Amino acid sequence: MRDTQRKGDIGVTQAIATFTKLGFDVSLPVTESAAYDLIVDSSSELFRVQVRFTSNVHGEVDLRRIH
């Protein structure tokens, strides 16, 4: 498996675990052609989430809201 694909898989699974721990329901799109990696359900709203991997040793990332 390619290294970049593995990093992407790690990022997505960590995001799923984090959102789940925070009490959100998480869904995955059926196809890989979607412009997002996850759908996060807050009970009142659905959010499309695109996940990025960071090699920052502190695990710090920038969060952005697009559209």
Side-chain angles (χ1 to χ4, degrees):
M1 182 181 279
R2 295 185 338 219
D3 192 44
T4 54
Q5 181 64 45
R6 183 166 304 278
K7 288 178 181 179
D9 292 345
I10 291 168
V12 169
T13 55
Q14 287 181 335
I16 291 169
T18 299
F19 285 121
T20 301
K21 286 178 187 176
L22 292 171
F24 296 101
D25 289 326
V26 180
S27 299
L28 300 170
V30 174
T31 65
E32 291 190 24
S33 62
Y36 50 87
D37 298 310
L38 308 170
I39 300 168
V40 177
D41 185 347
S42 72
S43 303
S44 61
E45 219 172 337
L46 296 176
F47 297 94
R48 293 175 294 191
V49 177
Q50 188 172 30
V51 178
R52 295 287 186 225
F53 179 87
T54 181
S55 58
N56 182 312
V57 294
H58 302 292
E60 298 168 352
V61 295
D62 292 331
L63 299 178
R64 295 186 179 102
R65 186 172 188 163
I66 300 173
H67 305 294

